[in-house]
Structure formats: C-alpha cells, structure tokens
Amino acid sequence: MTKVPVGDVSEFPVGAQKSIEFGEEYVLVIRSLSGFWAIEDRCSHDNNELLGGPVTEHENKSPSIKCLRHGAQFDLESGKTITIPPYKPIRTYTVLIENSTVYVTTKS
Ligand code: FES
C-alpha cells in the first residue's frame, strides 16, 4: 500500500485544497464541511487539473467538485461523473489522519 504524507491537519481548514505527487500521479486532497477527500487531480475529460474547483455539499450524499474548464462535476467519494462531459470516472483515494498528520493511501 502506498501511503504519502500530505501535511499537518492544521494546514487544512474547511475549504482547503492541496495537490500532491503520488507516485506518477497527482492527487488532490480536499477538506470540505463533511470531511477529507482525495481524488485524482486530473479531469477525465481533457486532463485539466481539478485543483481550485468549487466543492458543493449535497444532502445525504458525498460532495462534488466542478472542473473549471468545461464544468464537469465528479462525486468526491466514488469519482463518478455527475454531469457530462466526461463519461469516465476519476480515481479516488483514502485519507488517513494519524497523530495530526494527513496521509493519502490507495483504496483497499
Ligand atoms: S477538462 Fe474538465 S470538463 Fe473538460
């Protein structure tokens, strides 16, 4: 299992986003009102980074992020597309907090 430290939890107030290198990929770590999330930092439509995209909370389901380029929205928990383009989901990761350090790991 790959496990990469992202920073101290104090660096992640609600609304914070941070893109990190994770092997050969970039992973975007987000803290929203409902918790921590980690997703592939590449839109599956045309490879635009998702860093900086607005995050929307949804009642009774996980939040979503909107790609700033053409407006696609992805579910932060599943990575599934909510609005087209595109049709392909993005990868999602697990966020762990240990001794106030935030880590990203691959999903088991
Ligand atoms: S690059 Fe993200 S919607 Fe087109």
Side-chain angles (χ1 to χ4, degrees):
M1 175 178 78
T2 307
K3 183 176 172 185
V4 175
V6 183
D8 190 84
V9 72
S10 64
E11 298 169 38
F12 287 89
V14 170
Q17 298 186 7
K18 185 175 183 180
S19 188
I20 61 156
E21 282 189 50
F22 189 85
E24 295 180 1
E25 303 173 349
Y26 284 92
V27 170
L28 178 59
V29 180
I30 296 167
R31 185 172 189 185
S32 76
L33 275 174
S34 54
F36 280 88
W37 310 93
I39 57 171
E40 178 182 3
D41 192 13
R42 286 286 171 258
C43 179
S44 58
H45 176 233
D46 200 18
N47 284 329
N48 197 67
E49 67 180 9
L50 294 170
L51 176 66
V55 172
T56 303
E57 297 285 345
H58 302 282
E59 202 169 321
N60 299 323
K61 54 184 183 175
S62 48
S64 61
I65 188 166
K66 184 175 184 177
C67 176
L68 290 172
R69 190 146 169 225
H70 305 112
Q73 290 183 61
F74 298 93
D75 181 284
L76 291 182
E77 186 168 41
S78 68
K80 289 182 181 166
T81 302
I82 295 174
T83 60
I84 57 170
Y87 299 96
K88 250 181 74 183
I90 56 173
R91 280 185 289 280
T92 60
Y93 303 82
T94 299
V95 177
L96 299 173
I97 299 173
E98 295 174 356
N99 298 323
S100 88
T101 300
V102 180
Y103 295 90
V104 170
T105 71
T106 45
K107 278 197 165 171
S108 52

